Amino acid sequence: MTKSKTVLFSLLGLSLFYSASAHAETVTQTQITPKKISIYLDDRQLQAEVPPVSLRGAVLVPMRGLFEEQGAKLNWNNTAKIVTATKGDKKLTYRIGDTTAQLNGQSLTLDVPGQITDGYTLIPLRFVSEALGSSVTWEPVTQSVRIFSPITYETSILWGVNLRSAPDAQSGSVQSEMLPSGAKVHVIREVNALWLEVRTEDNQRGYISAKPKYSDYTSASLLDKQADALISYGKTYLGTPYEFGASPDQTKTFDCSSFVKRLFGDTLSIELPRVSYDQAKEGKKVGIDSLRKGDLLFFSARGLDIGHVAIYAGNNQILHTYSKDLNVHVEAFDGQWRKRFVTARRIL
């Protein structure tokens, strides 16, 4: 890494709250002039143990947590005053007071050496952040430092979707046009079962639908949230009358497959076939010992190899409808249902 040529903002420091050492360069409090400086990591303001301060054109920040915030693991050798930060395949090693550091064995030069003062170990933040792959910008008007973690745009848009200003279908769009199929985004977080907070390649930030049809993003935690949402919605229909051949265009009555079709369509915009025999061809097959919430279970019924479908609700429970006496209900997956079980399919 070359020296920063930026005159306006050459150094930020980061604290690793450790005891001061006599051999390290010590700076007295009277040499440091406090400045009202704000620091942001990926648009989130960071709070230091003490306010950021300015020293000879450099901004120093006593904040051990910033290494962890950027995903680095720390090791401190108090005897040698050596700090080691590891992030992925990057290993940064630095001795307090030196003007050079080692990044994966390669020597790098610091504009200003790290120092220890008043019990705080200060290391150049710009240098450290950039060595670990982050980028740093200085906004003189607002006196703000902005640190951006390296971003991988790992998620592809599958279907045109609005980038919204809030996780709500009624909120306004951040941009005039939808994100098109093939566009890439970075998922910042899973808001809930139905919404993702994302950043686009042109640095727009907003919310998109988490429903499977809109992107290829998936995770174990999101699948669990979506299965819970599916089952929770299904339970709002507990007691709804059973009617064989019920129309899928209404919710006053259900049969087994119209109920399943309605739940997946309304909750996650997943369109399933109308009848259980065809639904059993969707998704992928899973074993009875590998079931998870939201899986579809298929059973023989009415002389058919597959004539009934239910949703696995977890804890050996199934959510379904098949009887005018029981209507939509939850019951144990045992007895006749174990005997009549044919296959299970995973849609989520």
Side-chain angles (χ1 to χ4, degrees), residues 196-211:
L196 303 171
E197 185 177 7
V198 303
R199 177 176 289 164
T200 65
E201 290 183 290
D202 60 356
N203 211 32
Q204 294 279 352
R205 188 167 175 167
Y207 302 87
I208 66 169
S209 172
K211 294 178 179 180

Side-chain angles (χ1 to χ4, degrees), residues 85-106:
T86 305
K87 180 181 179 181
D89 61 354
K90 298 178 183 294
K91 182 178 181 180
L92 180 67
T93 304
Y94 176 64
R95 183 192 300 274
I96 304 302
D98 288 355
T99 56
T100 59
Q102 298 292 316
L103 179 63
N104 291 351
Q106 180 181 5

Side-chain angles (χ1 to χ4, degrees), residues 14 41-42 44 46 64-73 86-88 125-126 128-136 147-150:
L14 180 142
L41 175 61
D42 295 331
R44 177 168 54 88
L46 300 175
R64 172 182 173 83
L66 188 58
F67 269 119
E68 284 91 349
E69 292 281 0
Q70 295 185 81
K73 295 182 179 180
T86 305
K87 180 181 179 181
L125 176 58
R126 174 182 286 277
V128 169
S129 297
E130 291 181 348
L132 294 176
S134 298
S135 59
V136 181
I147 304 163
F148 296 98
S149 301

Side-chain angles (χ1 to χ4, degrees), residues 163-174 191 195-196 206-208:
L163 181 67
R164 298 194 179 276
S165 58
D168 184 337
Q170 305 306 314
S171 64
S173 296
V174 173
V191 179
W195 292 96
L196 303 171
Y207 302 87
I208 66 169

Side-chain angles (χ1 to χ4, degrees), residues 155-160 179-185 201:
T155 298
S156 296
I157 300 300
L158 303 177
W159 190 281
L179 296 177
S181 174
K184 293 282 191 178
V185 298
E201 290 183 290

Side-chain angles (χ1 to χ4, degrees), residues 1 17 48 65 89 92 102 122 135 227 234 246 249 258 260 280 284 288:
M1 179 182 294
F17 188 65
D89 61 354
L92 180 67
Q102 298 292 316
L122 308 177
S135 59
D249 298 326
S258 72
V260 167
K284 65 179 181 180
I288 194 170

